[in-house]
Amino acid sequence: TVGSCGTAAFTGETVVVADIETDFRWADYKAYALPHGLRACWSTPIRSRRGKVLGTFALYYTEARTPHPEELAAIETGARLASVAVERKLEEDAVLEWKNRYEAVIQASGHLLYDWDPTTNRVTYGGDCTRVLGYSVQELGSNLSHWIELIHPEDRATFREEIERVLRAGKPFHSSYRVRRKDGVYVHVEDDGYFVLNSDRAVTRMLG
């Protein structure tokens, strides 16, 4: 009995209140609606893909009335669209939180982190790149080709062969090679990467 939205969220069902002034679910809350000319409110739960209630989607009207079937259908559509938007935002926030935590661990360990998208060849880096190699993240560039240019010419073929092997097999990547620091000195690198697969078992990116 917490208005239309509170009741919809609690019961997990669409709640149609045709008249806020007389409906028992608005008994304690109608003073918040009636002074603003709101008389009817229909609310439906916003659910995640797994059925969890994320919130509610509601329409308010300035006259006491019940919905037409097409209006109820519109509310359901609005709730589904809202579900997509809310879940996407929650997933983005979770990924960002994970990346921030992992970045802190990488910084503390003295390692470098990379995230490579094999479909675009785009790479993003984390960790203390400047302390380890002398380059800023901007200087390392955003394309795998920039990294390959830093690999010792004698080691590039082996590096490419390992990339091709793991792309075919979807197995963890491991390669030892030399990389040129900004001061021109070559340092030994142990490179371990793990592929992220989608639901079709196709490679979407490699983290290492």
Side-chain angles (χ1 to χ4, degrees), residues 78-181:
R80 285 194 296 271
L81 292 174
S83 172
V84 172
V86 170
E87 281 206 291
R88 182 174 298 167
K89 182 63 169 64
L90 291 174
E91 289 168 356
E92 290 174 352
D93 288 349
V95 168
L96 180 60
E97 180 182 4
W98 177 87
K99 289 182 73 174
N100 288 340
R101 288 181 179 180
Y102 199 67
E103 174 71 12
V105 172
I106 293 296
Q107 289 274 7
S109 69
H111 289 74
L112 298 185
L113 170 70
Y114 62 83
D115 182 343
W116 174 52
D117 183 342
T119 61
T120 63
N121 228 22
R122 181 175 177 82
V123 184
T124 55
Y125 297 95
D128 196 345
C129 300
T130 303
R131 182 169 62 86
V132 177
L133 294 175
Y135 303 103
S136 67
V137 170
Q138 292 73 25
E139 288 174 319
L140 286 176
S142 59
N143 193 284
L144 184 63
S145 61
H146 299 147
W147 179 257
I148 293 175
E149 289 175 4
L150 299 178
I151 297 175
H152 194 286
E154 295 177 0
D155 298 341
R156 290 175 188 171
T158 302
F159 177 83
R160 289 192 175 99
E161 288 170 5
E162 178 67 0
I163 287 284
E164 292 172 1
R165 182 190 71 81
V166 297
L167 280 175
R168 289 193 304 269
K171 300 296 183 181
F173 173 93
H174 176 74
S175 186
S176 299
Y177 52 89
R178 291 163 289 176
V179 169
R180 187 180 70 252
R181 290 192 320 212

Side-chain angles (χ1 to χ4, degrees), residues 15-34:
V15 172
V16 175
V17 172
D19 191 344
I20 290 173
E21 187 172 16
T22 59
D23 193 282
F24 71 97
R25 287 162 291 197
W26 277 87
D28 296 331
Y29 304 96
K30 58 187 178 182
Y32 298 109
L34 296 179

Side-chain angles (χ1 to χ4, degrees), residues 181-193:
R181 290 192 320 212
K182 191 172 183 178
D183 61 8
V185 176
Y186 280 94
V187 293
H188 184 78
V189 169
E190 292 288 335
D191 188 345
D192 292 289

